[in-house]
């Protein structure tokens, strides 16, 4: 790792986020500008059809060490996170959602776990993973119910022992990020499952911190996406059984 590299890379995948990007990026700037370590913020524009690109460029002078990946075609959140992770130069690489539903200050809890030898640290909204996890502003009841059923399937098929695979706040050491994201195949919402399945298959030490998560009703996740995530889960299962991932 070059001495000129950042300590922390923050990757923000963004589709149609003209409304939410300004407050999220301002919050990132507020938090990171008070830290002693070097950082970079990478926003990956996933072929937006709104004014996300215009809004982002209007803020370019306000956000320190901002990098923009502007892709004209929509490929999905998983593809965007992968693109950002592999372009990043940080010793630790964190992806976070454009709505800041898990506030960037959660990274303060992650650092000690990396210092203790973890390769991957994730946030969870489920107290079965770690005490203190909570949905402070929760999803609609039907989304929570579907999520609980879906997670049991995810655990049986691909990622045993983790109750919340989908929280959009996960960080990786550089080596782990490169080994994991260079092998991912899922471009959309189910990518978290593949990422964690790969981390487990590669025997990386995974730490979990409690999230105090705030739901945003403007989420782009549709009901049909839950079905796609289950389909992606079985794709990961087949890949694991077929030995498609390099260990």
């Amino acid at each position: 790792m070059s001495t000129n590299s950042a300590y922390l890379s923050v990757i923000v995948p963004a589709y149609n986020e003209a409304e939410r990007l300004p407050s999220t990026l301002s919050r990132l700037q507020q938090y990171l500008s008070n830290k002693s370590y070097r950082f970079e913020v990478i926003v990956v524009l996933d072929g937006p059809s709104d004014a996300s690109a215009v809004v982002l460029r209007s803020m370019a002078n306000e956000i320190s060490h901002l990098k923009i990946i502007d892709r004209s075609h929509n490929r999905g959140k998983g593809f965007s996170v992968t693109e950002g992770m592999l372009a990043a130069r940080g010793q630790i690489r964190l992806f976070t959602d454009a709505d800041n539903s898990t506030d960037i200050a959660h990274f303060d809890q992650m650092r000690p776990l990396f210092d203790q030898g973890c390769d991957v640290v994730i946030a969870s909204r489920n107290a079965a993973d770690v005490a203190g996890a909570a949905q402070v502003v929760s999803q609609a009841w039907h989304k929570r119910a579907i999520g609980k059923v879906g997670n049991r399937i995810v655990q049986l098929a691909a990622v045993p022992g983790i109750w919340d695979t989908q929280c959009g706040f996960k960080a990786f050491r550089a080596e782990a990020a490169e080994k994991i994201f260079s092998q991912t195949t899922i471009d959309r919402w189910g990518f978290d499952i593949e990422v964690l399945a790969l981390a487990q298959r590669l025997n990386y030490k995974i730490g979990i911190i409690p999230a105090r998560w705030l739901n945003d009703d403007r989420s782009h996740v549709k009901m049909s996406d839950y079905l796609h995530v289950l389909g992606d889960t079985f794709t990961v299962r087949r890949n694991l059984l077929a030995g498609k991932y390099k260990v």
Side-chain angles (χ1 to χ4, degrees):
M1 183 68 60
S2 168
T3 56
N4 293 322
S5 298
Y7 167 70
L8 177 66
S9 298
V10 181
I11 294 101
V12 183
Y15 174 47
N16 286 342
E17 296 292 356
E19 276 188 54
R20 300 191 290 190
L21 267 179
S23 60
T24 295
L25 290 177
S26 294
R27 173 62 184 138
L28 292 180
Q29 175 66 18
Q30 178 190 43
Y31 171 83
L32 293 168
S33 63
N34 289 317
K35 301 300 179 182
S36 59
Y37 50 74
R38 293 171 59 87
F39 66 89
E40 62 180 358
V41 176
I42 302 175
V43 179
V44 184
L45 292 171
D46 187 21
S49 57
D50 70 351
S52 292
V54 174
V55 168
L56 181 58
R57 287 189 169 81
S58 72
M59 298 186 70
N61 292 331
E62 302 172 32
I63 310 302
S64 303
H65 313 296
L66 175 66
K67 298 180 180 179
I68 301 170
I69 298 176
D70 189 356
R71 186 171 5 88
S72 59
H73 300 291
N74 177 260
R75 294 290 302 272
K77 181 181 177 182
F79 189 94
S80 299
V81 170
T82 294
E83 199 171 18
M85 283 284 172
L86 297 179
R89 292 294 175 264
Q91 298 171 38
I92 304 295
R93 303 176 189 183
L94 165 74
F95 76 80
T96 186
D97 289 337
D99 62 2
N100 199 40
S101 53
T102 306
D103 188 78
I104 184 63
H106 283 74
F107 184 67
D108 289 341
Q109 299 175 64
M110 288 181 156
R111 287 193 75 186
L113 296 185
F114 282 113
D115 292 342
Q116 293 163 24
C118 286
D119 304 293
V120 178
V121 182
I122 68 173
S124 172
R125 302 161 292 185
N126 194 316
D129 281 324
V130 60
Q135 292 191 25
V136 179
V137 177
S138 63
Q139 294 172 306
W141 70 267
H142 59 279
K143 287 189 175 183
R144 296 198 305 274
I146 292 170
K148 287 179 181 178
V149 173
N151 179 261
R152 292 187 180 277
I153 296 171
V154 168
Q155 288 203 53
L156 287 169
V159 188
I162 296 178
W163 288 90
D164 182 7
T165 57
Q166 303 307 112
C167 185
F169 199 86
K170 296 180 174 70
F172 308 77
R173 290 189 187 276
E175 179 185 0
E178 288 165 10
K179 286 188 176 179
I180 290 169
F181 287 93
S182 64
Q183 298 193 62
T184 54
T185 63
I186 294 173
D187 289 348
R188 297 194 180 273
W189 300 111
F191 83 98
D192 297 85
I193 294 163
E194 184 173 40
V195 164
L196 292 174
L198 271 162
Q200 289 183 337
R201 179 55 60 94
L202 289 162
N203 291 318
Y204 284 132
K205 183 178 179 182
I206 302 173
I208 305 179
I209 66 160
R212 290 184 58 79
W213 188 79
L214 303 174
N215 180 57
D216 188 325
D217 290 334
R218 296 169 294 176
S219 169
H220 296 304
V221 182
K222 303 182 292 292
M223 290 300 295
S224 60
D225 293 324
Y226 287 87
L227 296 176
H228 291 306
V229 169
L230 289 179
D232 290 338
T233 299
F234 291 113
T235 297
V236 173
R237 175 70 174 174
R238 287 194 297 272
N239 288 348
L240 289 168
L241 293 174
K244 287 192 175 181
Y245 301 123
K246 296 176 183 177
V247 179

